């Protein structure tokens, strides 16, 4: 995705602040889309697969660190071209089936382009991490034209999010070199989370079936 062509009135503005403004606008746009989907699910099905939503913009320090870790110079161009998660939104669902349902609903919106998908549910990371990641481009309509900006969308269950939160704390506490016994325990917990999600989804399916049979 090329660097966005900005209107002339942006030429004299600080590039960093301009790009941060655009990422924030993109994040707001995606949040609005998700909120509308949430309201629609509730309206049509009297059920909402979205438990809650978290959104964030990476800090300048985090952006520079990631670029250096990837072997890139910390420039505005590299920031836009090489990083896909500067603007990020995390959607927390009840069940694994909800994840794919939401991902499909988002990807079918005509003006959203799916640039990348990483399905860590079907293919978990070696440490047990599970989540569904999408990088999308979304149009931002400025006063004098349209700009495409990238947003990373992570969709996971409550249990997956709980596990990932603890793994994140351990990773940074030990600077990526946690003791072997902690890594092993985390992997075991990840496996238990996968089993729990499967059983909870099966239980919910049984509950829905019982409700349908009662109405007959």
């Amino acid at each position: 995705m090329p660097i966005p062509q900005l209107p002339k009135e942006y030429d004299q503005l600080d590039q960093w602040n301009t790009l941060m403004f655009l990422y924030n606008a993109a994040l707001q746009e995606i949040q609005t889309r998700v909120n509308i989907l949430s309201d629609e699910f509730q309206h049509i099905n009297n059920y909402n697969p979205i438990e809650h939503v978290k959104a964030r913009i990476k800090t300048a320090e985090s952006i520079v660190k990631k670029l250096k870790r990837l072997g890139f110079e910390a420039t505005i161009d590299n920031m836009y071209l090489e990083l896909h998660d500067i603007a990020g939104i995390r959607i927390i669902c009840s069940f694994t089936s909800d994840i794919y349902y939401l991902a499909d609903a988002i990807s079918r919106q005509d003006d959203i382009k799916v640039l990348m998908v990483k399905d860590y549910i079907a293919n978990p990371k070696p440490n047990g991490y599970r989540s569904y990641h999408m990088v999308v481009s979304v149009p931002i309509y400025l006063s004098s034209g349209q700009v495409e900006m990238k947003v990373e969308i992570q969709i996971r269950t409550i249990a997956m999010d709980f596990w990932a939160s603890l793994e994140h704390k351990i990773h940074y506490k030990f600077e990526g070199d946690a003791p072997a016994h902690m890594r092993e325990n985390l992997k075991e917990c990840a496996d238990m989370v996968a089993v729990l999600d499967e059983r909870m989804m099966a239980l919910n399916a049984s509950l829905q079936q019982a409700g349908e049979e009662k109405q007959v």
Side-chain angles (χ1 to χ4, degrees), residues 156-175:
R156 58 179 66 152
T157 65
I158 299 169
M160 291 174 194
D161 192 54
F162 180 39
W163 182 94
S165 177
L166 179 58
E167 191 276 338
H168 182 78
K169 291 175 184 176
I170 292 173
H171 178 84
Y172 278 93
K173 176 69 174 178
F174 294 98
E175 298 181 345

Side-chain angles (χ1 to χ4, degrees), residues 64-98:
V64 170
K65 279 184 178 179
K66 185 162 186 179
L67 281 171
K68 288 182 176 179
R69 189 170 73 248
L70 295 173
F72 296 106
E73 187 181 351
T75 65
I76 294 293
D77 283 4
N78 284 340
M79 172 181 161
Y80 182 83
L81 294 172
E82 305 300 339
L83 301 186
H84 309 299
D85 61 346
I86 291 176
I89 188 167
R90 184 175 301 147
I91 306 171
I92 312 301
C93 302
S94 298
F95 307 106
T96 307
S97 55
D98 294 334

Side-chain angles (χ1 to χ4, degrees), residues 2-209:
I3 297 288
Q5 296 297 310
L6 298 177
K8 286 188 297 182
E9 53 264 36
Y10 284 81
D11 289 350
Q12 302 304 314
L13 299 176
D14 177 77
Q15 283 187 305
W16 168 267
N17 287 332
T18 295
L19 203 53
M20 287 297 98
F21 155 72
L22 292 173
Y23 276 119
N24 188 62
L27 199 55
Q28 291 181 57
E29 181 68 28
I30 290 294
Q31 281 184 285
T32 299
R33 306 289 183 98
V34 171
N35 288 338
I36 291 171
L37 285 174
S38 176
D39 291 345
E40 183 198 19
F41 293 142
Q42 187 67 46
H43 175 65
I44 294 176
N45 304 313
N46 198 30
Y47 162 72
N48 190 348
I50 300 172
E51 290 289 336
H52 58 274
V53 176
K54 304 174 184 177
R56 63 101 185 97
I57 299 284
K58 272 187 180 294
T59 64
E61 181 184 9
S62 181
I63 289 169
V64 170
K65 279 184 178 179
K66 185 162 186 179
L67 281 171
K68 288 182 176 179
R69 189 170 73 248
L70 295 173
F72 296 106
E73 187 181 351
T75 65
I76 294 293
D77 283 4
N78 284 340
M79 172 181 161
Y80 182 83
L81 294 172
E82 305 300 339
L83 301 186
H84 309 299
D85 61 346
I86 291 176
I89 188 167
R90 184 175 301 147
I91 306 171
I92 312 301
C93 302
S94 298
F95 307 106
T96 307
S97 55
D98 294 334
I99 294 172
Y100 294 103
Y101 185 72
L102 278 168
D104 182 62
I106 293 168
S107 64
R108 281 189 284 107
Q109 297 193 11
D110 291 342
D111 58 350
I112 288 182
K113 300 173 186 174
V114 178
L115 305 176
M116 184 187 308
V117 170
K118 292 184 179 179
D119 187 348
Y120 295 117
I121 300 170
N123 302 287
K125 289 186 178 182
N127 67 350
Y129 176 85
R130 288 173 169 85
S131 185
Y132 189 93
H133 293 195
M134 304 167 66
V135 176
V136 303
S137 73
V138 60
I140 305 303
Y141 297 99
L142 303 173
S143 58
S144 55
Q146 174 183 325
V147 175
E148 297 281 336
M149 295 299 295
K150 291 182 288 188
V151 177
E152 183 190 56
I153 303 171
Q154 297 180 0
I155 316 176
R156 58 179 66 152
T157 65
I158 299 169
M160 291 174 194
D161 192 54
F162 180 39
W163 182 94
S165 177
L166 179 58
E167 191 276 338
H168 182 78
K169 291 175 184 176
I170 292 173
H171 178 84
Y172 278 93
K173 176 69 174 178
F174 294 98
E175 298 181 345
D177 190 25
H181 73 278
M182 279 194 174
R183 295 197 302 270
E184 291 168 4
N185 282 335
L186 270 174
K187 180 60 172 64
E188 289 177 7
C189 287
D191 294 338
M192 287 188 279
V193 163
V195 172
L196 175 62
D197 274 335
E198 288 179 8
R199 294 185 66 176
M200 293 292 281
M201 190 164 62
L203 185 59
N204 184 61
S206 298
L207 181 63
Q208 290 180 325
Q209 184 179 356

